[in-house]
Amino acid sequence: FLRLDAALAENCSVDYPCPEEEFCNYDSGTGGFCEGCPQSVSACSGLGLPSGGVDDCESVCTDSESESTDSDSEFVVSSPFEIFPVDDAGGCEVPTKKYSQMKSLGFTKVACPFGVLVAGTEGFDDVRMKFAANVIANLLDQDSDGAVDDPDLVRVLTYRGKARGGALLQCGVSREEEERGDSLGNVFDYAFSCQTWKAYGIADVKGILMEEAFHLVHQLGYAEIYPDELGMEDYTSSIVGREAARLQCVAPGWTHPENVCPEDLPRQPGNPAPSPLPGTCNEPSCDVAEFYKMVLFLSVGMGEENDPDGPSVWLSEHMPGKRSEVLSMLSTEFKNMIHMPSLHQLSAPLTGEYDAVPSDPTFFSTASSVSGVTLTCKWMIFVTFLFIMIH
């Protein structure tokens, strides 16, 4: 979900048009939300929009292919993670059941940073795939020493050794291509979409990939292994859920643009609106996830007001953009939680740069660990026997 600022998150319709270089998607039939214009008007019909959204896209957007090409040519990524054919036995070693379905749906190539799968369609840019792989590595190996910080997290996220399960970040050149991957939920725990087709410029591409990669790691990883701190089952049982509820419809605070606050918006601190709100992102799995990504990114110094040249970070209404103001808004309980070393939460801005040499991820297989221990024990017994014989 990408909204660069509060203005872009407002409802749009015939009477309330979108800002320049934006169009109304008309998802509700008579209205909807503003989205960034695609690089070419010809792409409007391939975004999976209803007819009203296609019409508005084609009427207000203009071609910007030459500008985009120039910008994309400046997007250079160095990465230790190679891209392989999805069925390459010597590559990411995707299980047969998984790669068969992926190929049938058009996802033909993969990268596998620390055993977490990134997939692309034939036309998806390899540079963007490598950037996504680097972002996942940024999240899993924050000190860039080539080893993951939290092996338990990767055991949950990895696809390796699982006929069904694991996380997938799937990337296509259009909404239509990525929607094909929705059915991959029967062989993965969940397939997150890259959504860079909605981007306008490199900063947007980076921001969207960072957002979706973070959602993947949080929702399928952190929330599962640290439910008391980062769970998303409700608004009361986890620290992050309580914090989202505490700031609901408050200024400064949080409101997802697809949800509707009471008429007395904004409320004063200490008087939040009851959660969940009416709306289409009112389930904790959506509302809490979006809240946590936004405040964590801002609290480590991401966002336009903290880093004008950095990747885009969309802001909800009444959410401060400056790091100092965000930290002042957050509770002590929440700030203590994100700084707990055992949780390995993001502590510095994501960059998408990663040049470490990934170590051998032997923790992916319990059998590997067991066999390693067995071999070690046998070797120690042998060495002890030789020592006794010599002396």
Side-chain angles (χ1 to χ4, degrees):
F1 187 95
L2 176 68
R3 292 290 184 268
L4 300 183
D5 55 41
L8 301 186
E10 295 175 357
N11 287 330
C12 56
S13 64
V14 174
D15 296 326
Y16 299 97
C18 294
E20 188 177 354
E21 298 180 353
E22 303 290 323
F23 70 93
C24 188
N25 60 25
Y26 283 94
D27 278 351
S28 67
T30 58
F33 293 95
C34 297
E35 293 190 18
C37 284
Q39 297 166 359
S40 172
V41 175
S42 62
C44 293
S45 59
L47 297 179
L49 300 165
S51 59
V54 174
D55 291 343
D56 199 55
C57 177
E58 293 178 341
S59 66
V60 303
C61 297
T62 57
D63 284 338
S64 57
E65 291 180 303
S66 60
E67 178 182 345
S68 174
T69 301
D70 292 340
S71 298
D72 286 347
S73 67
E74 300 171 5
F75 191 17
V76 179
V77 175
S78 174
S79 175
F81 304 108
E82 295 185 51
I83 296 175
F84 302 97
V86 66
D87 56 355
D88 187 345
C92 288
E93 300 179 349
V94 181
T96 303
K97 186 174 182 179
K98 285 181 164 64
Y99 80 63
S100 297
Q101 289 203 32
M102 292 170 70
K103 280 187 70 174
S104 70
L105 296 169
F107 296 95
T108 60
K109 54 189 178 183
V110 290
C112 41
F114 294 110
V116 179
L117 203 60
V118 180
T121 58
E122 188 65 32
F124 191 77
D125 191 349
D126 286 0
V127 172
R128 296 185 181 191
M129 275 190 70
K130 289 189 174 185
F131 185 82
N134 282 0
V135 172
I136 290 174
N138 289 162
L139 291 165
L140 301 182
D141 176 23
Q142 293 187 48
D143 58 4
S144 296
D145 65 352
V148 296
D149 304 322
D150 188 346
D152 288 337
L153 178 63
V154 182
R155 287 192 185 97
V156 175
L157 296 176
T158 188
Y159 63 94
R160 291 183 176 174
K162 301 174 182 176
R164 185 197 179 283
L168 174 66
L169 184 61
Q170 45 106 343
C171 310
V173 299
S174 66
R175 176 185 289 181
E176 183 180 30
E177 279 195 355
E178 291 185 347
E179 284 181 344
R180 295 176 199 159
D182 291 349
S183 61
L184 290 170
N186 67 338
V187 288
F188 291 92
D189 289 323
Y190 192 81
F192 289 78
S193 298
C194 286
Q195 302 184 45
T196 56
W197 42 263
K198 64 171 69 169
Y200 191 83
I202 293 176
D204 286 2
V205 170
K206 291 181 176 180
I208 294 171
L209 288 174
M210 288 174 175
E211 175 175 350
E212 297 308 318
F214 182 82
H215 283 323
L216 179 152
V217 173
H218 175 204
Q219 293 179 240
L220 296 185
Y222 296 140
E224 294 297 317
I225 60 178
Y226 305 119
D228 293 343
E229 294 83 13
L230 296 162
M232 300 182 299
E233 292 296 320
D234 51 49
Y235 291 94
T236 58
S237 61
S238 70
I239 294 175
V240 68
R242 291 193 293 273
E243 192 74 358
R246 189 182 72 83
L247 296 170
Q248 196 78 269
C249 301
V250 170
W254 159 257
T255 306
H256 193 283
E258 292 180 13
N259 297 335
V260 181
C261 286
E263 293 183 358
D264 59 351
L265 177 74
R267 295 191 171 197
Q268 295 300 307
N271 184 34
S275 297
L277 298 171
T280 57
C281 186
N282 64 352
E283 292 291 329
S285 59
C286 179
D287 193 22
V288 175
E290 295 286 358
F291 163 78
Y292 186 52
K293 186 277 307 179
M294 183 179 295
V295 296
L296 189 62
F297 278 22
L298 294 170
S299 70
V300 298
M302 296 175 66
E304 184 177 358
E305 293 185 44
N306 302 306
D307 181 10
D309 298 323
S312 301
V313 177
W314 70 274
L315 298 180
S316 71
E317 192 172 9
H318 305 301
M319 176 66 68
K322 291 184 178 179
R323 178 175 183 269
S324 59
E325 295 176 2
V326 172
L327 290 173
S328 177
M329 171 190 77
L330 296 171
S331 69
T332 300
E333 178 188 45
F334 183 87
K335 287 185 284 192
N336 288 343
M337 181 271 291
I338 62 176
H339 291 118
M340 290 174 61
S342 60
L343 298 182
H344 304 286
Q345 293 305 286
L346 194 65
S347 58
L350 291 169
T351 63
E353 298 174 2
Y354 188 81
D355 57 7
V357 178
S359 60
D360 183 25
T362 54
F363 49 80
F364 289 137
S365 170
T366 303
S368 297
S369 300
V370 171
S371 61
V373 171
T374 303
L375 288 172
T376 300
C377 290
K378 288 180 177 179
W379 176 250
M380 290 177 66
I381 292 170
F382 177 69
V383 171
T384 303
F385 174 77
L386 285 178
F387 180 81
I388 293 172
M389 292 294 292
I390 292 171
H391 290 81

